[in-house]
Amino acid sequence: YYRINVFPLRLPPLRERLDDLSVLVPHFVTRHSGGLAKEVSREAWDKMRGYYWPGNIRELENVIARAALISHDSQRIEAEHLVFDGVENVGGQNDEVIPAGITLREMEKRLIIKTLKSCNGNRTHAAKALDISVRTLRNKLNEYRHNNELSEDLKMEA
């Protein structure tokens, strides 16, 4: 590690540089489509831009490789061909509308519960997607449980 750490580079996460998608996506589409000229639908672009991208370029490449396989009979990659690892659309464009007047505490609780559900109850993945520690997530869930703010199905996951 020290041999390659002579000049450390810090790359911001992909979610902070969505403009890079316009260069990376066509490259990965070509790479994983067996040389076929596939295009990416507007809806697929919107879905990728609306995704939170907890991972980085490797995650993007995996998403595109998966989409190229799923869409093997088509000349286009559609939004339904995109299957993300972990959490879909946390903070994305297709999320539910936030009602006016909702408290910050209630919004936080909804986000935590929604993220936990989308991660199939996996606290480690949910914490990573929320950019909090597993301990913080556990404490929040215990607080909700103590105040009887969790539904029965969530008490089992939490």
Side-chain angles (χ1 to χ4, degrees), residues 5-140:
N5 197 27
V6 173
F7 191 76
L9 298 174
R10 186 207 162 316
L11 265 173
L14 189 57
R15 66 180 165 269
E16 292 177 14
R17 46 193 181 94
L18 293 176
D19 291 341
D20 289 0
L21 290 175
S22 63
V23 175
L24 295 169
V25 169
H27 170 73
F28 292 140
V29 167
T30 302
R31 175 188 270 180
H32 294 287
S33 297
L36 298 174
K38 284 194 180 211
E39 63 180 72
V40 180
S41 72
R42 170 65 40 213
E43 294 79 17
W45 279 107
D46 291 344
K47 188 173 181 178
M48 285 186 282
R49 285 189 184 102
Y51 182 61
Y52 179 71
W53 294 110
N56 216 323
I57 294 173
R58 285 186 188 162
E59 181 185 9
L60 173 64
E61 183 173 12
N62 289 341
V63 168
I64 297 299
R66 210 174 292 126
L69 286 171
I70 293 170
S71 68
H72 70 280
D73 291 338
S74 174
Q75 291 297 325
R76 288 171 58 115
I77 292 178
E78 302 289 345
E80 61 265 14
H81 297 141
L82 298 173
V83 179
F84 297 107
D85 298 332
V87 182
E88 274 194 58
N89 275 332
V90 174
Q93 297 170 347
N94 296 327
D95 278 354
E96 64 188 55
V97 175
I98 300 169
I102 190 170
T103 65
L104 185 58
R105 176 178 165 70
E106 179 63 23
M107 198 60 231
E108 176 188 68
K109 183 178 82 174
R110 286 185 185 185
L111 180 61
I112 287 172
I113 291 168
K114 183 176 182 178
T115 304
L116 191 61
K117 279 183 173 181
S118 69
C119 291
N120 298 319
N122 186 314
R123 291 182 184 187
T124 303
H125 290 143
K128 185 176 180 181
L130 292 165
D131 198 25
I132 60 175
S133 70
V134 176
R135 182 178 184 176
T136 298
L137 178 60
R138 185 190 68 229
N139 290 341
K140 292 283 184 187

